[in-house]
Amino acid sequence: MKKKNDFYKNKSDGFTIIETMIAVSLFIVITTVGMGALLNANLLYQKSRDMRSILDNLNYVMEDLSRNARTGYNYHCFLSTETIPTLTSAVPSTPQSCENENGWAIAFESAYGDTANYDDQWVYYIDNSGKLFRSTLGPYTASSFTQMTSDEITLDTTKSYVRVYGAEPPGSGDSRQPLLVIRLVGTISYQNVTSPFSIQTTVSQRLLDI
């Protein structure tokens, strides 16, 4: 005959089915919540990484434009009434400022360029779709240009501009050192999220021209 103490001793040796089911249910709930948090964190990391890549592209575009313009010369700012020529004989070789009007494109001789040759001019412009293009072969044809900004970046053509001061050559009466103000304003659209941006820089011609 079993004693009363033996009965309780045997009963406490393991878990009941209900206790086991509760423990398993809690484990499943905690695991599900943890996996959801992990997946969300991974998704946020991927979005942040992709957005960082897009911002790096934007910073590269601004750095590329300002660096090449700084070492270049003979700046020609395109006004709203001008169009980029497609013939080598019409390439703008005459320097031109745009102090009182926002320019939508700029052409200049590269650091090692020759004013007698038109196939070494650098040209930057913003098209109607808000993309920035660059050509290092002069403004020949559309195939000469390469899109610089990624597809996620859309520039505001009414707010993005370049202004050139003192671009007139020596002897014209302008004794100022050429100066450029470059401003890019627009939005970044990625995965149904739109983020505005506005960056601006000032570039002074390295070659002495006063």
Side-chain angles (χ1 to χ4, degrees), residues 21-58:
M21 292 179 63
I22 293 175
V24 172
S25 299
L26 289 175
F27 175 77
I28 293 174
V29 171
I30 295 174
T31 303
T32 302
V33 173
M35 287 297 296
L38 181 62
L39 292 175
N40 287 334
N42 184 57
L43 181 60
L44 290 175
Y45 168 75
Q46 291 180 351
K47 287 184 178 180
S48 176
R49 181 189 60 187
D50 295 339
M51 184 63 72
R52 180 71 263 175
S53 177
I54 297 173
L55 290 174
D56 288 343
N57 170 256
L58 184 62

Side-chain angles (χ1 to χ4, degrees), residues 61-78 84-85 90-98 104-125 132-140 145 148 162-168 178-182 201 203-207 209:
V61 169
M62 179 63 84
E63 176 65 21
D64 178 81
L65 201 166
S66 59
R67 181 179 65 252
N68 292 312
R70 182 181 296 110
T71 58
Y73 63 99
N74 277 14
Y75 305 124
H76 183 99
C77 179
F78 287 85
I84 296 179
V91 170
S93 58
T94 304
Q96 176 175 278
S97 300
C98 53
W104 63 277
I106 184 172
F108 54 87
E109 291 289 342
S110 64
Y112 304 100
D114 184 1
T115 55
N117 298 321
Y118 298 126
D119 59 352
D120 57 1
Q121 273 197 332
W122 288 56
V123 183
Y124 292 83
Y125 81 95
L132 190 144
F133 290 81
R134 181 191 72 180
S135 172
T136 60
L137 302 174
Y140 293 157
F145 288 89
M148 297 293 291
V162 57
R163 285 195 175 186
V164 181
Y165 301 86
E168 284 70 19
L179 183 74
L180 283 74
V181 177
I182 306 167
T201 188
V203 177
S204 177
Q205 178 179 297
R206 181 174 298 176
L207 180 66
D209 184 32

Side-chain angles (χ1 to χ4, degrees), residues 54 57-58 60-62 64-65 123-136 141-155 187:
I54 297 173
N57 170 256
L58 184 62
Y60 168 77
V61 169
M62 179 63 84
D64 178 81
L65 201 166
V123 183
Y124 292 83
Y125 81 95
I126 302 173
D127 70 350
N128 294 330
S129 65
K131 307 302 179 186
L132 190 144
F133 290 81
R134 181 191 72 180
S135 172
T136 60
T141 61
S143 60
S144 303
F145 288 89
T146 302
Q147 181 176 326
M148 297 293 291
T149 51
S150 62
D151 294 333
E152 293 82 3
I153 298 174
T154 301
L155 298 174
T187 56

